């Protein structure tokens, strides 16, 4: 599990599509390239605020540490974000409810987008871009209004909070 700096919707019809940029050399990049699919998790303010001793500890863990060096699942659980399997009841598209083939996710994300790679990864230097079809969209039960949906954690908010730098790197 990793923090993405660049992800954007790029199409609605005939299929919902997203562009996702994966930093080369990361375990997340290797896993996505091998599996050709993954889950994009739209983080909520709770993900940046919780953590001890300071705000942003979860973001720093996911964006500043390698899964090769740190057991991110265990560390997330220690911070109160135990990884879980996606629930099908909130699947907005009702297209794919097989939980076994998908990676575990953080709790309390605003949305979970199950993505599958279309074609090959595109080399863009430090990153590779994946053009992905949205297989399904699953929402959090607790999202009650459109204004809550807009309260997601963006790189701009993380910069303003001093959690990441202007270059998108975790601030130590």
């Amino acid at each position: 599990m990793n923090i993405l700096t660049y992800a954007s919707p790029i199409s609605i019809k005939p299929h919902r599509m997203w562009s996702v940029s994966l930093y080369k050399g990361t375990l997340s990049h290797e896993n996505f390239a091998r599996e050709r699919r993954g889950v994009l998790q739209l983080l909520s303010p709770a993900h940046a605020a919780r953590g001890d001793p300071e705000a942003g500890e979860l973001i720093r863990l996911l964006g500043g540490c390698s899964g090769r060096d740190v057991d991110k699942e265990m560390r997330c659980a220690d911070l109160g974000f135990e990884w879980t399997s996606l629930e099908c009841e909130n699947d907005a598209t009702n297209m794919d409810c097989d939980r076994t083939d998908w990676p575990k996710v953080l709790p309390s994300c605003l949305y979970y987008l199950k993505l599958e790679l279309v074609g090959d990864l595109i080399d863009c230097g430090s990153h590779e871009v994946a053009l992905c079809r949205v297989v399904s969209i699953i929402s959090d039960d607790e999202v009650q209004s459109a204004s809550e949906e807009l309260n997601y954690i963006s790189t701009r908010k993380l910069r303003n909070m001093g959690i990441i730098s202007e270059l998108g790197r975790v601030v130590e």
Side-chain angles (χ1 to χ4, degrees):
M1 194 174 298
N2 203 349
I3 298 292
L4 293 177
T5 307
Y6 309 108
S8 179
I10 56 174
S11 180
I12 297 172
K13 291 184 179 181
H15 304 287
R16 288 183 187 266
M17 300 279 293
W18 274 69
S19 168
V20 176
S21 182
L22 302 161
Y23 190 68
K24 290 180 187 175
T26 63
L27 200 52
S28 294
H29 174 270
E30 290 175 20
N31 290 339
F32 192 91
R34 182 186 62 250
E35 299 297 324
R36 300 182 57 83
R37 60 201 242 159
V39 179
L40 181 62
Q41 303 172 66
L42 191 59
L43 302 182
S44 71
H47 295 108
R50 282 176 56 190
D52 196 28
E54 59 187 279
E57 190 171 348
L58 177 71
I59 304 300
R60 287 181 179 89
L61 167 65
L62 296 176
C65 300
S66 171
R68 291 183 182 89
D69 303 325
V70 173
D71 183 339
K72 289 186 179 184
E73 184 171 5
M74 184 181 73
R75 293 273 312 277
C76 286
D78 291 344
L79 293 172
F81 294 98
E82 187 172 341
W83 294 4
T84 184
S85 297
L86 288 173
E87 296 297 326
C88 295
E89 296 81 42
N90 299 325
D91 190 333
T93 58
N94 294 319
M95 293 165 51
D96 177 24
C97 250
D98 180 11
R99 297 174 221 178
T100 59
D101 290 345
W102 293 91
K104 289 182 176 180
V105 297
L106 290 169
S108 305
C109 290
L110 296 175
Y111 284 98
Y112 304 89
L113 282 73
K114 291 182 176 180
L115 304 176
E116 288 187 342
L117 180 64
V118 175
D120 295 321
L121 294 171
I122 302 165
D123 189 346
C124 295
S126 61
H127 289 68
E128 285 191 320
V129 171
L131 301 180
C132 301
R133 184 174 147 282
V134 177
V135 174
S136 65
I137 302 169
I138 300 170
S139 64
D140 187 328
D141 277 335
E142 297 179 21
V143 175
Q144 301 294 320
S145 68
S147 64
E148 285 181 295
E149 290 179 8
L150 297 176
N151 199 21
Y152 63 91
I153 293 299
S154 66
T155 54
R156 181 186 317 175
K157 287 182 183 177
L158 293 174
R159 277 190 212 97
N160 290 342
M161 295 172 73
I163 296 172
I164 65 171
S165 70
E166 288 298 320
L167 298 176
R169 294 287 204 196
V170 169
V171 174
E172 298 297 325

